[in-house]
Amino acid sequence: KRASSVTVRVWRLADMIKRGPGDYSKSWLYEWDTLGLTDSTHPTQGIASDGETIWMVAGNNDIHVPKRLQGYTLHGSLLFSDGNLKVGRAQAILDGSGSIYEPEGLALFYNGGRLILCLGILSGDLGARHTRIYEIKDYRQ
């Protein structure tokens, strides 16, 4: 497994909307590289932000490959890293042959004034796949 990094760039959406259509590819506010998130068995699978923290998840569909979740400040300082994320894994083992467990995107939503980080998980055999959304608890470690 060759380690690699992912370059993350942050723009302010309100500024882009205010300025209208155009090429913003070189006008980011912050740019940084991830630390130990991705490699040949851990492609980036999702990214979400609340405007202060950026969460990223990585991993392939092999149930035996640990999934990774990291949180960064907008400026790129690593806040936390979980190299063995198991959200939804117990259910994935019960789906079909129990060999497919793939993170498929991150999302944030407010419920009762509380911000909740959610992760989509794909599991099950070809032709009988399941996609479930799980809350990731204690993600602000």
Side-chain angles (χ1 to χ4, degrees):
K1 292 186 259 187
R2 196 178 123 259
S4 61
S5 67
V6 172
T7 300
V8 178
R9 292 181 177 155
V10 179
W11 288 263
R12 184 172 289 116
L13 180 60
D15 292 346
M16 294 167 58
I17 291 171
K18 183 179 176 182
R19 292 183 192 134
D23 181 359
Y24 295 96
S25 61
K26 293 183 170 69
S27 62
W28 63 87
L29 298 173
Y30 312 109
E31 178 186 57
W32 41 269
D33 293 330
T34 60
L35 306 167
L37 178 68
T38 59
D39 60 32
S40 61
T41 59
H42 293 87
T44 302
Q45 294 284 7
I47 186 168
S49 178
D50 64 357
E52 295 178 12
T53 302
I54 296 174
W55 293 272
M56 298 180 72
V57 67
N60 65 16
N61 70 358
D62 185 339
I63 200 157
H64 302 293
V65 173
K67 310 315 174 210
R68 297 174 179 164
L69 177 70
Q70 292 185 340
Y72 293 87
T73 67
L74 291 182
H75 297 85
S77 296
L78 183 64
L79 295 172
F80 71 88
S81 183
D82 181 347
N84 194 22
L85 185 68
K86 293 184 178 180
V87 173
R89 189 176 187 279
Q91 180 61 51
I93 290 171
L94 302 175
D95 294 337
S97 63
S99 62
I100 303 298
Y101 171 56
E102 183 173 8
E104 288 286 346
L106 289 169
L108 291 160
F109 74 95
Y110 281 95
N111 185 7
R114 186 173 78 101
L115 185 66
I116 298 174
L117 179 63
C118 295
L119 172 64
I121 296 291
L122 176 79
S123 61
D125 299 331
L126 192 59
R129 297 269 198 240
H130 301 277
T131 304
R132 297 179 179 94
I133 299 173
Y134 294 90
E135 177 180 347
I136 300 177
K137 297 180 189 265
D138 304 322
Y139 57 84
R140 293 185 188 256
Q141 301 169 3

